[in-house]
Amino acid sequence: MAAQQRMNYCNGKWIESESTETFSVTNPADGSVVSRFPKSTEVDTERAIRAAADAQDTWAETPGPERGAVLRRAAGHLENRADDVAETLTREEGKALAEAAGEVQRAVDILYYYAEKASDLAGEAKAPSGQNSRLRTVTEPVGVVGLITPWNYPIAIPAWKAAPALAAGNAVVLKPASQAPTVVHELTECLDEAGLPDGVLNVVTGSGSEVGATITSHETIDAISFTGSSAVGELVRESATETGARIQLEMGGKNPAVVMPSADVDEAVTIVGSGAFGVTGQACTATSRAIVHESIYDEFVDGLADYATDLDIGPGLEADMGPQVTASELEGTLDYIERGKEEGATLEVGGDVPDTEYDGHYVEPTVFSNVKSEMQIAQEEIFGPVVAVIPVSDFEEAVTIANDSQYGLSASIITKNLSEANRFIDEIEAGVVKINEKTTGLELHVPFGGTKNSSSETWREQGDAGLDFFTTTKTVYLNY
Ligand code: NAP
């Protein structure tokens, strides 16, 4: 398939960068070029911000049901082309086709969900203390918002930021990740075809250090929603603190799954294996630590090693587990595997580049046993299909180790013991807690976000909570 030349979307038009320079997005499965994008500059980004600022008031004044109708039509357009978009997603990001199809469906569902929510954003009535009066709140958009998104869920995350932002009446400047911007263009085309007014959404591609940094430091931007690494999230926080913009930061994870003696070991292996190796381990909520009771430890490790060995690795269009997104991500994973060996953990299975016929960024699903909590492979986010299995002797030790992390995004426990399940809910430091379920995956109508270094902790995404970040409340006293 020929690589397409894409453009920026600014003020309702597809335009080139003033630099006329471009960059290529390549297929991690075989190195072929998927698309080419403008390498945009500060000037391009400022133009997009101006377009958003000019469109802001009219969009805010557009009735909520009308804004919702645009999102609903866009959802329909995306649904109609979902198969093609899923294939494009696999070709540019690498994940297995079934995973890509699920992600595109999530974006469709998110658009439908917030299409309905747009009609509910009027505020609420309260009982006034005096007679002949009204007391109520009015919900208003925050203003011009900057959205900065990562490559690992390249359409779902832009959708779950843009849909509530637009539903609430904000104008948007969106910078997609450079490794996987093509599916954001597909989403943008759907919104354009749905009749989104000019300037309400603007999409600028280019480097984080130029396009991203221009958004985060610009005085016109009222709020910034960022998802990505904790390191870049901190830069965004510093920059936004100077301009006073509202921020939402959703960042890394080192998610634990605790396995207790009452667990069915086969079931625990499936829960941990799918959480660790799904989307090639490139999920913020991926299970990267299995904290396992010593009485079932050996049986669990053997089962997880078999699970990893049975996975079929290859291009996402054909295999269970696709490649990593870039050569540098693969290199990072292989470095951590070397460190794990040097630290004295036991490499049970994987640990290498597989012997395949394909020229892509493949790595074997990897299981380390005899891991200690202080080891780097148990503390740092690897963002590849590597799981560290840590033995523990009781529930208290398991929770202590699960909480021994700078991160706190998602955590799970596999147990049939009701008391352990409830204590885990109370004692775990995480934004998402799951009992007998994998750490990955969250439905769209519940709040999503982390604690500690996984999140700015100020706001949650998705569900009703996803609208809070994009709205502000005015309290109104009316006496007559
Ligand atoms: P990343 O390197 O932090 O990049 C995220 C976004 O920030 C990209 O669009 C990037 O642009 C941009 N960026 C880079 N430098 C910037 C700067 N100085 N100013 C403003 N923006 C800048 O993260 P990633 O590698 O794409 O994604 C993986 C990370 O995301 C992992 O740590 C993962 O845990 C996290 N994540 C978290 C969640 C969550 O909900 N908590 C969900 C998914 C992923 P370029 O692409 O052009 O560099």
Side-chain angles (χ1 to χ4, degrees):
M1 201 180 287
Q4 278 185 307
Q5 173 63 54
R6 304 271 180 153
M7 290 193 265
N8 285 328
Y9 183 69
C10 183
N11 205 18
K13 290 175 191 59
W14 296 96
I15 58 170
E16 283 185 12
S17 160
E18 54 107 26
S19 77
T20 66
E21 285 182 53
T22 61
F23 64 94
S24 299
V25 174
T26 54
N27 184 337
D30 59 17
S32 59
V33 176
V34 177
S35 329
R36 288 194 180 79
F37 280 86
K39 198 188 264 185
S40 308
T41 62
E42 190 178 338
V43 171
D44 297 316
T45 314
E46 284 186 339
R47 179 155 52 179
I49 294 171
R50 256 198 324 276
D54 289 347
Q56 172 56 46
D57 286 350
T58 309
W59 185 239
E61 286 159 12
T62 303
E66 215 176 292
R67 295 196 300 256
V70 174
L71 294 180
R72 198 175 303 111
R73 287 195 295 273
H77 292 319
L78 187 57
E79 205 165 20
N80 288 340
R81 53 164 102 170
D83 290 348
D84 290 345
V85 178
E87 194 178 318
T88 301
L89 199 164
T90 291
R91 287 172 56 243
E92 78 171 346
E93 196 270 349
K95 66 181 59 168
L97 187 58
E99 295 169 336
E103 186 183 335
V104 174
Q105 188 58 46
R106 166 57 64 97
V108 170
D109 293 345
I110 284 273
L111 288 166
Y112 279 128
Y113 180 81
Y114 286 108
E116 299 312 309
K117 295 284 166 193
S119 299
D120 289 339
L121 288 169
E124 53 184 2
K126 294 284 181 186
S129 303
Q131 290 184 333
N132 297 335
S133 60
R134 299 263 183 269
L135 181 56
R136 60 162 305 185
T137 66
V138 174
T139 303
E140 295 184 343
V142 173
V144 177
V145 303
L147 310 179
I148 300 179
T149 55
W151 49 262
N152 68 325
Y153 284 98
I155 191 164
I157 293 178
W160 83 49
K161 291 184 191 298
L166 295 171
N170 300 279
V172 171
V173 179
L174 168 57
K175 186 219 140 359
S178 298
Q179 286 97 337
T182 316
V183 287
V184 168
H185 269 212
E186 301 283 341
L187 175 67
T188 306
E189 280 173 13
C190 293
L191 284 156
D192 180 76
E193 285 165 25
L196 194 70
D198 293 352
V200 173
L201 171 68
N202 305 276
V203 179
V204 190
T205 55
S207 75
S209 55
E210 181 144 11
V211 176
T214 303
I215 293 172
T216 61
S217 60
H218 206 284
E219 294 288 340
T220 307
I221 298 283
D222 298 296
I224 300 157
S225 179
F226 165 88
T227 298
S229 61
S230 298
V232 175
E234 282 314 311
L235 296 177
V236 173
R237 190 200 301 271
E238 279 168 30
S239 186
T241 303
E242 281 185 23
T243 64
R246 182 185 282 192
I247 51 165
Q248 174 176 54
L249 307 175
E250 292 305 332
M251 303 175 284
K254 191 71 192 173
N255 310 288
V258 169
V259 186
M260 294 308 290
S262 61
D264 175 315
V265 174
D266 289 343
E267 191 189 339
V269 162
T270 304
I271 289 173
V272 172
S274 56
F277 306 129
V279 296
T280 320
Q282 299 177 128
C284 52
T285 51
T287 309
S288 51
R289 296 180 292 152
I291 300 167
V292 182
H293 194 271
E294 58 197 11
S295 63
I296 49 164
Y297 189 81
D298 291 343
E299 188 186 350
F300 176 85
V301 170
D302 289 347
L304 191 61
D306 288 346
Y307 184 101
T309 310
D310 286 347
L311 287 172
D312 165 33
I313 311 165
L317 292 178
E318 300 162 21
D320 299 335
M321 196 181 101
Q324 292 218 244
V325 70
T326 56
S328 71
E329 289 291 329
L330 169 63
E331 209 175 293
T333 301
L334 294 171
D335 277 355
Y336 272 112
I337 290 169
E338 282 313 305
R339 257 181 267 175
K341 290 194 254 180
E342 284 159 22
E343 287 177 307
T346 308
L347 180 63
E348 293 285 342
V349 70
D352 220 334
V353 170
D355 191 16
T356 67
E357 64 198 272
Y358 310 107
D359 184 20
H361 314 307
Y362 300 98
V363 62
E364 293 170 339
T366 299
V367 178
F368 277 108
S369 66
N370 299 317
V371 177
K372 294 193 171 57
S373 186
E374 62 273 18
M375 291 179 181
Q376 271 179 304
I377 57 165
Q379 289 293 330
E380 295 175 19
E381 186 182 49
I382 298 176
F383 226 57
V386 180
V387 61
V389 193
I390 306 172
V392 288
S393 53
D394 56 28
F395 175 82
E396 284 71 23
E397 191 188 2
V399 174
T400 302
I401 287 178
N403 286 336
D404 177 24
S405 173
Q406 61 168 312
Y407 297 110
L409 189 52
S410 181
S412 92
I413 185 167
I414 300 133
T415 180
K416 294 194 171 75
N417 181 317
L418 197 56
S419 159
E420 282 171 359
N422 279 291
R423 283 187 60 194
F424 192 72
I425 294 169
D426 291 341
E427 294 173 29
I428 193 69
E429 295 162 2
V432 178
V433 189
K434 294 185 165 187
I435 318 301
N436 298 321
E437 205 176 306
K438 62 184 177 178
T439 54
T440 48
L442 205 82
E443 288 170 277
L444 62 86
H445 57 298
V446 291
F448 176 46
T451 181
K452 302 201 272 190
N453 283 351
S454 293
S455 172
S456 50
E457 284 204 55
T458 38
W459 314 88
R460 290 293 187 241
E461 299 200 282
Q462 304 197 85
D464 284 326
L467 289 158
D468 295 344
F469 179 75
F470 295 108
T471 53
T472 185
T473 299
K474 204 176 252 174
T475 304
V476 180
Y477 282 80
L478 190 159
N479 297 315
Y480 57 91

